[in-house]
Amino acid sequence: MSNSTRPEVTMYTDGGCSPNPGLGGYAAILVKQGAEKIVTGAEAETSNYRMELMAVVAGLEALSISSNVTIFSDNNNVVRGFNEWLAGWCANGWRNSRKKAVDHADLWQRIQKQSERHSITLVKVKAHVADQDASDAEKMNNRADALVSEARATYLAEQASVTAPSEPEEEAESQYRLYIAGSRHASDKMLDYTRRIVARAIENSWTIVVGDNPQGVDQEVIKELCRLNYSNVIVVGIAKTPRNGGVSAGQYVQYGKSYLERDQAMARCSDRGIFVWNGQSRGTETAYRYMQSLNKTQHLMDFSATFAEGTV
């Protein structure tokens, strides 16, 4: 029951994974008297449902004062779990009506503990409503959803930082990340240019970020890295294992449900991008345009005629 002496807090939560299960993120936007506080986080191996719950947990645990809290969530199981089932689970030793252990009971127990501090109301809100048609709560849910994607991208960027035992100056140099991408259908000239890019990156001790495509430029990067025994590399794909075999001593990060999402994440976590283009591949051009929109250093090497921009 609401207590009139407590402050009023409105919370908008969201969580998700890509793929599910896989790399997950969560976000809570807390609003109190017009002021906002944002809580986000990510986990490497988790599920959509767990991240939706974690968003509620993290938001509630961020409150230092007992409050009247109204939480908007787009997950029906979270809302019904709190409003309809939580009391019964608690009374039944965290077993459901089928006598089975409650999924993610550890998080539900943390929510139950917070309900002893706060007066909590959970409200269901529609997900992914276009802003022009959305209510204020639905717009805030869209913001929370965007923060989830940012949390996952931040986690990916942190994983792309390769730490090696070296002098601080050398370590700082090695953290520069070069994103190499290109067309699946690549000419001999394109592949030769790709090998030159790899050689330049190795010469500068850069971390190479590359996709897991088993054809074209991605595959040539992997072949050259393996041939030269260079391990300062992050291969990123949406499958559980790299389709091009990856680099055995390097890292592989599984991220996203689509190659567009994967490519954008690689752009965000890199300092510079070089895109070796056959003049036709829309995926390569789209990735280049996205990195350009981030105001990061990027080069589109157009092999359909002559170089369009820049050199290595």
Side-chain angles (χ1 to χ4, degrees):
M1 180 178 296
S2 178
N3 186 321
S4 61
T5 64
R6 292 174 173 174
E8 299 289 334
V9 176
T10 306
M11 186 186 307
Y12 305 90
T13 65
D14 199 18
C17 277
S18 182
N20 182 33
L23 175 58
Y26 60 86
I29 306 172
L30 294 80
V31 183
K32 176 183 173 183
Q33 296 179 341
E36 287 188 2
K37 180 176 183 178
I38 294 174
V39 181
T40 63
E43 296 182 12
E45 292 294 335
T46 187
S47 67
N48 281 341
Y49 184 29
R50 188 169 181 86
M51 290 295 92
E52 294 276 9
L53 285 171
M54 191 61 210
V56 175
V57 170
L60 289 171
E61 291 181 348
L63 293 171
S64 59
I65 301 174
S66 295
S67 307
N68 298 323
V69 188
T70 302
I71 303 173
F72 290 89
S73 170
D74 63 16
N75 188 278
N76 193 54
N77 286 333
V78 172
V79 175
R80 293 192 66 190
F82 183 84
N83 292 335
E84 302 176 29
W85 307 322
L86 182 58
W89 290 340
C90 185
N92 294 329
W94 299 102
R95 294 194 171 273
N96 59 28
S97 59
R98 298 186 299 277
K99 309 300 181 184
K100 294 183 178 180
V102 173
D103 289 338
H104 310 299
D106 60 323
L107 297 185
W108 279 114
Q109 288 165 11
R110 289 165 70 177
I111 293 173
Q112 168 64 24
K113 183 177 180 180
Q114 290 301 311
S115 71
E116 298 170 1
R117 296 181 59 227
H118 309 292
S119 174
I120 302 171
T121 302
L122 255 81
V123 180
K124 177 71 167 61
V125 65
K126 289 183 179 179
H128 310 302
V129 179
D131 275 357
Q132 63 267 25
D133 302 320
S135 66
D136 289 344
E138 289 163 348
K139 289 178 181 178
M140 292 297 286
N141 180 259
N142 289 341
R143 279 189 59 197
D145 179 68
L147 288 168
V148 169
S149 296
E150 289 180 16
R152 294 170 58 248
T154 298
Y155 178 90
L156 178 65
E158 290 172 349
Q159 293 302 300
S161 297
V162 179
T163 302
S166 57
E167 295 298 324
E169 293 80 10
E170 295 174 353
E171 177 63 16
E173 179 75 16
S174 72
Q175 294 307 301
Y176 191 89
R177 291 189 291 272
L178 175 67
Y179 172 24
I180 305 175
S183 306
R184 287 183 297 170
H185 303 293
S187 67
D188 289 342
K189 288 185 178 180
M190 292 171 66
L191 297 180
D192 179 66
Y193 190 78
T194 298
R195 291 189 288 271
R196 288 165 54 196
I197 297 170
V198 171
R200 178 68 180 275
I202 293 174
E203 178 183 336
N204 287 280
S205 300
W206 292 340
T207 297
I208 296 174
V209 180
V210 66
D212 71 332
N213 200 300
Q215 297 175 287
V217 171
D218 283 6
Q219 181 66 78
E220 193 65 22
V221 171
I222 296 300
K223 286 170 58 179
E224 193 68 358
L225 291 170
C226 290
R227 184 181 73 84
L228 297 173
N229 196 30
Y230 190 70
S231 61
N232 194 5
V233 57
I234 310 296
V235 182
V236 185
I238 64 175
K240 290 186 177 180
T241 57
R243 297 174 301 155
N244 55 23
V247 177
S248 59
Q251 287 184 275
Y252 176 68
V253 177
Q254 183 184 12
Y255 185 93
K257 293 181 178 179
S258 69
Y259 296 118
L260 175 62
E261 186 177 4
R262 178 205 65 174
D263 292 348
Q264 291 183 351
M266 287 193 288
R268 287 193 297 270
C269 78
S270 299
D271 299 290
R272 182 182 187 185
I274 298 181
F275 302 85
V276 185
W277 190 45
N278 63 8
Q280 298 177 339
S281 170
R282 293 186 64 184
T284 301
E285 184 180 12
T286 298
Y288 163 73
R289 297 299 177 195
Y290 179 76
M291 194 161 194
Q292 190 177 49
S293 74
L294 300 176
N295 293 319
K296 293 189 175 185
T297 304
Q298 76 290 314
H299 311 272
L300 181 67
M301 315 312 298
D302 184 356
F303 278 80
S304 62
T306 58
F307 289 165
E309 301 182 26
T311 57
V312 179

